[in-house]
Amino acid sequence: MAVLRQCLLCRPLYKISPSCTRLLSASITTSPRSFPRSWACSLTPSTRASTSPAHVEQKGAKTDGSSKVRVLTQKLEVLGINCDDFVTPGRYHRLFCPKCKGGRSMVRSLSLHIIQDGGFAMWRCFHTECGWAGQAFAESRASYYGVAKKVESFEQVSEESIGLEPLGAKLIAYFGERMISEKTLQRNAVMQMSSDKNVIAFTYRQNGLLVGCKYRTVGKRFWQEKDTEKRLYGLDDINDVPEIIIVEGEIDKLSLEEAGFRNCVSVPGGAPGKVSTKELPSSEKVSRIILATDGDTSGQALAEELARRLGKDRCWQVRWPKKDDHSCFKDANEVLKHMGPDALKKVIEDAELYEP
């Protein structure tokens, strides 16, 4: 017996029409794609949704009426994800997975998130025997979905689950001494530990989702949140840009924003012995990469490793200006503090073609 389903691109309660199928096939691919595990292993676009109870929104709120959201829900319906016109952009929803049906217990194991502006949706099933995951885009970009190689537990990382809160006056003042404004801190979601208000929390995000957290004390002691992933810091700022800047620390990334550059990312842990570049856009998208690593020996070694992996023909290197007769400034934040944002902007603009 033929199964009747509602296709939102056609009339209700009819079989999906051939024209509907052709329309959707232009934007949905069937090649399975898996999610990345860490920045050092596989750093392709990923989705790691926060699905703690505080972040899981049950059905009950009306869908945003924008055309983007309507297009997304149409695509999701064809994939079997039943939104029922109750999906609110910017929140997380626990739905029934069309692949595993929630297993024997029939739980709502599929976490679905549509970003605030309705540009794309992401989902993942956290049933241990399923792991179906993917993304769908409202516009011309292709969607992808498949089975994740590694299925995490249902309790995912969130700001509440790891104990974060907005920055207090003391740490805002600390950044102010380094010429980094509160506006920049808020845009980059820099926070602090709830249990120790002297500890800075740099939140690592991808597609707006929290995927990792690195802590720093005022005394420069660093550690990473357990069970979170190492990614490039600021990944969302290098989507669809022809030129990117790579620095060696989170504060340097914030410093470059003060100088007018948002197309910047930082490596996650200083100057590592090896560098993975799978998170970075392909050479077809990025024609110029500015290496603004630290001026010390390890920073220069990092620049050499990055240039080797990314292609030296499209790499440029920053030369930090002299501090005095005997030394140069070490990094972007030192230049910002002592010379100001205009000087830092000029240093970046004056980057030279990379030479080993």
Side-chain angles (χ1 to χ4, degrees), residues 48-56 92 153-165 191-194 201 203-205 208-213 215 225-228:
R48 179 174 177 140
S50 172
T51 55
S52 63
H55 279 66
V56 175
Y92 299 94
S153 62
F154 191 80
E155 186 74 17
Q156 294 294 293
V157 64
S158 68
E159 293 169 4
E160 289 81 4
S161 68
I162 60 176
L164 301 184
E165 66 181 17
M191 306 184 77
Q192 68 183 28
M193 289 184 67
S194 303
T203 59
Y204 280 62
R205 299 174 187 270
L209 301 177
L210 182 64
V211 294
C213 185
Y215 300 104
E225 178 66 33
K226 183 181 178 182
D227 296 328
T228 61

Side-chain angles (χ1 to χ4, degrees), residues 72 75-76 79 119-123 134-138 141-144:
L72 281 175
K75 292 182 177 182
L76 294 173
L79 292 173
F120 70 90
M122 63 189 74
W123 65 89
Q135 293 182 342
F137 297 86
R141 229 171 132 184
S143 304
Y144 64 85

Side-chain angles (χ1 to χ4, degrees), residues 154-323:
F154 191 80
E155 186 74 17
Q156 294 294 293
V157 64
S158 68
E159 293 169 4
E160 289 81 4
S161 68
I162 60 176
L164 301 184
E165 66 181 17
L167 284 174
K170 181 176 180 179
L171 291 181
I172 290 174
Y174 169 83
F175 281 105
E177 293 173 359
R178 284 150 184 77
M179 302 291 287
I180 296 172
S181 66
E182 188 172 356
K183 179 181 177 181
T184 296
L185 295 170
Q186 290 176 349
R187 198 192 78 83
N188 289 273
V190 181
M191 306 184 77
Q192 68 183 28
M193 289 184 67
S194 303
S195 58
D196 187 341
K197 303 185 187 304
N198 294 315
V199 177
I200 302 162
F202 294 105
T203 59
Y204 280 62
R205 299 174 187 270
Q206 188 166 13
N207 297 326
L209 301 177
L210 182 64
V211 294
C213 185
K214 179 180 172 183
Y215 300 104
R216 170 190 170 127
T217 65
V218 173
K220 293 192 70 174
R221 185 169 67 90
F222 302 91
W223 70 96
Q224 182 178 330
E225 178 66 33
K226 183 181 178 182
D227 296 328
T228 61
E229 301 179 13
K230 285 189 176 182
R231 307 286 181 91
L232 293 172
Y233 181 65
L235 267 179
D236 287 352
D237 286 336
I238 61 169
N239 290 330
D240 301 319
V241 295
E243 177 178 303
I244 63 175
I245 305 168
I246 303 177
V247 295
E248 201 173 315
E250 294 86 358
I251 290 182
D252 291 328
K253 188 261 190 292
L254 303 177
S255 299
L256 284 179
E257 185 161 325
E258 295 294 341
F261 301 100
R262 287 189 178 180
N263 56 325
C264 176
V265 290
S266 169
V267 294
K274 293 184 178 180
V275 177
S276 172
T277 58
K278 294 181 182 179
E279 274 179 321
L280 298 174
S282 64
S283 57
E284 290 77 14
K285 293 182 179 179
V286 176
S287 58
R288 187 168 184 249
I289 299 170
I290 298 176
L291 305 176
T293 55
D294 289 2
D296 55 16
T297 302
S298 61
Q300 296 306 304
L302 173 61
E304 172 66 20
E305 176 72 1
L306 286 168
R308 182 181 68 82
R309 289 174 176 262
L310 295 169
K312 295 180 181 179
D313 57 333
R314 61 173 178 156
C315 286
W316 299 65
Q317 189 169 20
V318 167
R319 305 294 180 186
W320 300 115
K322 282 188 171 293
K323 181 189 299 185

